[in-house]
Amino acid sequence: LSADEAVDLERRTAAARAWLEAYAPERSRIVVQERLPEEVRELGEDQRLYLGALAIAAEKAGAGTDPAAATGEAWQGRIFEVAQAAAIPTGRAFGALYVAFLDRINGPRAGWLLSSLDPAFVIHRLREAAGWQDAPAA
């Protein structure tokens, strides 16, 4: 960005933050949780298995190493494919994702949400929400 563009970006970002803090409805306030939300304990076994299967699918697709596998479109497709393969209704699948990342039952388009995050964090969080421990580094 040029210096002028950087200044404009900063101005627009500040205005958006001010609007979010002062006027945005709760549904517009999206905060990715730094720690695994306590509400994950309330997920059903089918939802936990789904999150684990999504982590495996993401790893196999190379979401942590291949930028093409970590786009919003790629994540969105994977979310639906894994839900279908796991025979979990999409509402339950998306609900599990939103609880694991946002500590709420709804949110923005999940694929694009996940693509905005570090792929290693996403895979770790999916595994953690499924109740799996990450393998120790070799």
Side-chain angles (χ1 to χ4, degrees):
L1 297 176
S2 70
D4 288 342
E5 290 170 330
V7 168
D8 189 45
L9 176 61
E10 182 58 37
R11 182 184 57 75
R12 288 176 183 224
T13 302
R17 282 194 179 110
W19 179 84
L20 280 169
E21 291 174 12
Y23 304 107
E26 186 59 35
R27 65 181 168 75
S28 297
R29 298 174 191 204
I30 306 298
V31 178
V32 175
Q33 303 299 299
E34 291 182 28
R35 299 187 198 285
L36 184 69
E38 295 284 328
E39 299 302 317
V40 166
R41 293 185 199 155
E42 312 266 332
L43 295 176
E45 184 66 21
D46 62 334
Q47 291 173 303
R48 290 166 101 53
L49 289 171
Y50 167 74
L51 294 173
L54 186 57
I56 291 170
E59 289 170 330
K60 285 183 179 178
T65 57
D66 179 5
T71 65
E73 195 170 301
W75 274 113
Q76 197 75 6
R78 192 174 305 116
I79 289 165
F80 280 105
E81 288 169 12
V82 174
Q84 184 177 15
I88 184 173
T90 55
R92 288 186 60 75
F94 280 95
L97 283 169
Y98 295 133
V99 167
F101 288 91
L102 304 177
D103 196 20
R104 52 193 282 179
I105 60 170
N106 57 28
R109 292 189 69 180
W112 282 262
L113 170 67
L114 298 182
S115 74
S116 73
L117 303 171
D118 176 59
F121 168 77
V122 172
I123 292 168
H124 173 77
R125 176 59 58 86
L126 291 170
R127 294 173 60 82
E128 185 181 27
W132 300 351
Q133 297 296 317
D134 281 335

